[in-house]
Amino acid sequence: MPDITWEAPFCGEGSSCFRLGTDADGNAYIAVAGAEDHYLTDTREALRTLITDIKAGKADHLL
């Protein structure tokens, strides 16, 4: 397993908590809190784009 530095969990009311992490090689990770050994990984740039797009409302239709 890579050496991942996890951020504190992001939690919604009554829903799962997600964690974001990074490693020294420039990779980014997303996992459900408590299941960090089962993560989705991509580049930090891809994570930056995802967060920017979500903040811009591009995923609002999923709510």
Side-chain angles (χ1 to χ4, degrees):
M1 183 171 193
D3 187 22
I4 302 168
T5 301
W6 292 104
E7 297 291 325
F10 294 91
C11 302
E13 268 189 54
S15 64
S16 297
C17 298
F18 293 93
R19 295 192 74 184
L20 302 176
T22 56
D23 68 17
D25 294 325
N27 299 306
Y29 302 83
I30 301 173
V32 173
E36 288 83 356
D37 54 334
H38 299 285
Y39 51 79
L40 172 70
T41 185
D42 207 325
T43 64
R44 287 185 189 194
E45 181 59 34
L47 178 60
R48 184 178 296 110
T49 300
L50 174 68
I51 292 169
T52 301
D53 286 351
I54 289 171
K55 288 175 70 174
K58 293 183 180 180
D60 287 356
H61 63 282
L62 299 172
L63 302 176

